[in-house]
mmCIF file of all heavy atoms in Angstrom:
data_model
loop_
_atom_site.group_PDB
_atom_site.id
_atom_site.type_symbol
_atom_site.label_atom_id
_atom_site.label_comp_id
_atom_site.label_asym_id
_atom_site.label_seq_id
_atom_site.Cartn_x
_atom_site.Cartn_y
_atom_site.Cartn_z
ATOM 1 N N GLN R 10 -103.975 176.312 -37.154
ATOM 2 C CA GLN R 10 -103.727 174.971 -37.676
ATOM 3 C C GLN R 10 -105.046 174.253 -37.941
ATOM 4 O O GLN R 10 -105.203 173.607 -38.966
ATOM 5 C CB GLN R 10 -102.867 174.176 -36.686
ATOM 6 C CG GLN R 10 -102.488 172.802 -37.177
ATOM 7 C CD GLN R 10 -101.434 172.824 -38.246
ATOM 8 O OE1 GLN R 10 -100.813 173.842 -38.521
ATOM 9 N NE2 GLN R 10 -101.219 171.694 -38.881
ATOM 10 N N ARG R 11 -106.000 174.394 -37.036
ATOM 11 C CA ARG R 11 -107.305 173.748 -37.211
ATOM 12 C C ARG R 11 -108.013 174.300 -38.445
ATOM 13 O O ARG R 11 -108.592 173.554 -39.224
ATOM 14 C CB ARG R 11 -108.154 173.961 -35.968
ATOM 15 C CG ARG R 11 -109.471 173.250 -36.041
ATOM 16 C CD ARG R 11 -110.174 173.294 -34.701
ATOM 17 N NE ARG R 11 -111.385 172.531 -34.787
ATOM 18 C CZ ARG R 11 -112.581 173.011 -34.534
ATOM 19 N NH1 ARG R 11 -112.723 174.252 -34.129
ATOM 20 N NH2 ARG R 11 -113.648 172.257 -34.644
ATOM 21 N N ARG R 25 -108.554 163.631 -49.406
ATOM 22 C CA ARG R 25 -109.078 163.242 -48.086
ATOM 23 C C ARG R 25 -108.551 161.884 -47.642
ATOM 24 O O ARG R 25 -108.481 161.607 -46.453
ATOM 25 C CB ARG R 25 -110.602 163.212 -48.108
ATOM 26 C CG ARG R 25 -111.207 164.558 -48.104
ATOM 27 C CD ARG R 25 -112.693 164.466 -47.987
ATOM 28 N NE ARG R 25 -113.276 165.787 -48.142
ATOM 29 C CZ ARG R 25 -114.546 166.024 -48.227
ATOM 30 N NH1 ARG R 25 -115.403 165.031 -48.163
ATOM 31 N NH2 ARG R 25 -114.997 167.244 -48.359
ATOM 32 N N VAL R 42 -101.747 144.934 -27.390
ATOM 33 C CA VAL R 42 -101.815 144.063 -26.204
ATOM 34 C C VAL R 42 -102.803 142.916 -26.380
ATOM 35 O O VAL R 42 -102.746 141.935 -25.638
ATOM 36 C CB VAL R 42 -102.151 144.865 -24.934
ATOM 37 C CG1 VAL R 42 -101.037 145.820 -24.596
ATOM 38 C CG2 VAL R 42 -103.464 145.585 -25.081
ATOM 39 N N LEU R 44 -103.197 141.295 -29.400
ATOM 40 C CA LEU R 44 -102.741 140.424 -30.476
ATOM 41 C C LEU R 44 -101.903 139.293 -29.880
ATOM 42 O O LEU R 44 -100.861 139.534 -29.268
ATOM 43 C CB LEU R 44 -101.915 141.212 -31.493
ATOM 44 C CG LEU R 44 -102.657 142.316 -32.235
ATOM 45 C CD1 LEU R 44 -101.689 143.118 -33.082
ATOM 46 C CD2 LEU R 44 -103.764 141.732 -33.078
ATOM 47 N N VAL R 47 -98.135 139.006 -30.620
ATOM 48 C CA VAL R 47 -97.286 140.098 -30.145
ATOM 49 C C VAL R 47 -97.126 140.028 -28.632
ATOM 50 O O VAL R 47 -96.035 140.193 -28.103
ATOM 51 C CB VAL R 47 -97.882 141.464 -30.552
ATOM 52 C CG1 VAL R 47 -97.105 142.597 -29.922
ATOM 53 C CG2 VAL R 47 -97.896 141.595 -32.054
ATOM 54 N N ALA R 50 -94.201 135.938 -24.340
ATOM 55 C CA ALA R 50 -92.919 136.056 -23.630
ATOM 56 C C ALA R 50 -91.719 135.839 -24.554
ATOM 57 O O ALA R 50 -90.585 135.943 -24.111
ATOM 58 C CB ALA R 50 -92.871 135.056 -22.487
ATOM 59 N N MET R 56 -85.307 141.400 -27.923
ATOM 60 C CA MET R 56 -86.145 142.267 -27.077
ATOM 61 C C MET R 56 -87.555 141.691 -27.029
ATOM 62 O O MET R 56 -87.944 140.921 -27.911
ATOM 63 C CB MET R 56 -86.183 143.688 -27.649
ATOM 64 C CG MET R 56 -84.843 144.382 -27.657
ATOM 65 S SD MET R 56 -84.922 146.042 -28.339
ATOM 66 C CE MET R 56 -85.048 145.690 -30.074
ATOM 67 N N PHE R 79 -97.661 167.344 -45.080
ATOM 68 C CA PHE R 79 -97.100 167.889 -46.313
ATOM 69 C C PHE R 79 -97.980 167.654 -47.537
ATOM 70 O O PHE R 79 -97.840 168.340 -48.535
ATOM 71 C CB PHE R 79 -95.700 167.326 -46.560
ATOM 72 C CG PHE R 79 -94.722 167.776 -45.520
ATOM 73 C CD1 PHE R 79 -94.186 166.884 -44.613
ATOM 74 C CD2 PHE R 79 -94.359 169.109 -45.442
ATOM 75 C CE1 PHE R 79 -93.289 167.304 -43.656
ATOM 76 C CE2 PHE R 79 -93.458 169.535 -44.474
ATOM 77 C CZ PHE R 79 -92.928 168.630 -43.585
ATOM 78 N N SER R 89 -103.388 179.788 -49.215
ATOM 79 C CA SER R 89 -103.968 180.853 -48.393
ATOM 80 C C SER R 89 -103.013 182.039 -48.299
ATOM 81 O O SER R 89 -103.431 183.191 -48.387
ATOM 82 C CB SER R 89 -104.292 180.337 -46.994
ATOM 83 O OG SER R 89 -105.281 179.349 -47.054
ATOM 84 N N THR R 98 -101.562 193.258 -52.193
ATOM 85 C CA THR R 98 -100.948 194.053 -53.257
ATOM 86 C C THR R 98 -101.984 194.791 -54.099
ATOM 87 O O THR R 98 -101.641 195.733 -54.789
ATOM 88 C CB THR R 98 -100.095 193.156 -54.177
ATOM 89 O OG1 THR R 98 -100.920 192.137 -54.727
ATOM 90 C CG2 THR R 98 -98.928 192.574 -53.419
ATOM 91 N N LEU R 99 -103.222 194.369 -54.039
ATOM 92 C CA LEU R 99 -104.265 195.060 -54.825
ATOM 93 C C LEU R 99 -104.707 196.283 -54.161
ATOM 94 O O LEU R 99 -104.678 197.126 -53.647
ATOM 95 C CB LEU R 99 -105.489 194.128 -55.022
ATOM 96 C CG LEU R 99 -105.236 192.929 -55.885
ATOM 97 C CD1 LEU R 99 -106.507 192.087 -55.942
ATOM 98 C CD2 LEU R 99 -104.829 193.322 -57.280
#
Side-chain angles (χ1 to χ4, degrees):
Q10 183 74 11
R11 184 170 184 237
R25 285 186 187 173
V42 294
L44 297 173
V47 173
M56 296 180 284
F79 294 112
S89 296
T98 58
L99 293 178

